[in-house]
Amino acid sequence: MTTDGSGTIDRAFLQTVRKAAGFRASPRQIIPVVRALTARQRPVTPEVVARLLGEIEQGERSARQRRNAELWRELGTYLALEGKPAHPEAQRALLGRIRRILGERHSDRVLLEVAVALGAAGYPIEARTVADAVRWLESKLGTTLTAETIEPYLAQAVAAVSTAPPPAGQSRRRSSGRRAP
């Protein structure tokens, strides 16, 4: 078992992750990765955790990424699980794309909470999907969102965007078995 239920990492697991990663990973780096793997029902082995840490920890974290660091690491883990670039710069770029869609009205923490909720539910993390979930939250709660006010509604927001029809002019890619003329 990797944690004792209190959010701490078992010492033997920690040592094995450090050996596999080749650097002194801290429990605060490992816990978000374990949380994301567990949410996606993926194996939580020292080798898998070490590999994901290598992907999300390469590069420099900005000052804004040191705030809410667990959420940024969890976001990076979901991106890595989807085969997308997961390093800190890629994480910042994703939030930049979300901001281009929504504007600057929400904090990083709100956007991260929504993105992580989508990832935990097994949905691909895309800027448009995160923005759609934020808009759904705005429709329920108004335009001033905080992490505390959205928390009770995150599951509903995820469900709403996972079943919503695509925006006008866009279609979901599904194979109908036919070729375009």
Side-chain angles (χ1 to χ4, degrees):
M1 185 70 169
T2 58
T3 67
D4 63 9
S6 66
T8 59
I9 299 293
D10 175 85
R11 185 163 178 75
F13 184 83
L14 175 65
Q15 295 301 328
T16 309
V17 168
R18 287 175 172 170
K19 185 176 180 180
F23 63 92
R24 188 173 168 80
S26 73
R28 73 172 169 258
Q29 291 171 301
I30 295 169
I31 289 170
V33 175
V34 169
R35 188 178 310 129
L37 287 167
T38 302
R40 287 270 180 105
Q41 298 178 353
R42 299 280 181 92
V44 180
T45 66
E47 295 75 24
V48 170
V49 171
R51 180 182 58 78
L52 291 169
L53 279 173
E55 290 183 45
I56 66 173
E57 293 296 334
Q58 62 182 327
E60 280 297 312
R61 293 204 171 275
S62 66
R64 69 190 263 218
Q65 286 175 301
R66 287 189 287 276
R67 294 183 298 274
N68 305 305
E70 278 195 23
L71 287 169
W72 284 100
R73 285 187 176 101
E74 204 166 343
L75 171 65
T77 302
Y78 289 124
L79 292 171
L81 289 172
E82 294 172 14
K84 297 175 182 172
H87 51 83
E89 186 176 312
Q91 296 167 28
R92 290 189 302 269
L94 172 66
L95 259 64
R97 289 189 302 275
I98 297 166
R99 289 190 188 290
R100 281 192 291 284
I101 296 167
L102 291 173
E104 295 288 330
R105 62 185 176 263
H106 300 297
S107 68
D108 282 353
R109 183 159 176 215
V110 166
L111 301 179
L112 289 166
E113 291 280 0
V114 172
V116 165
L118 284 162
Y123 294 100
I125 299 174
E126 301 288 343
R128 173 80 44 207
T129 308
V130 174
D132 289 346
V134 170
R135 286 186 184 125
W136 184 92
L137 289 162
E138 289 175 336
S139 75
K140 299 296 177 199
L141 303 169
T143 57
T144 306
L145 303 177
T146 66
E148 294 75 24
T149 60
I150 67 170
E151 197 277 325
Y153 300 93
L154 282 173
Q156 290 173 300
V158 168
V161 298
S162 67
T163 60
Q170 294 183 11
S171 62
R172 291 194 175 134
R173 293 181 185 203
R174 291 198 176 139
S175 175
S176 64
R178 298 182 316 189
R179 290 188 169 217

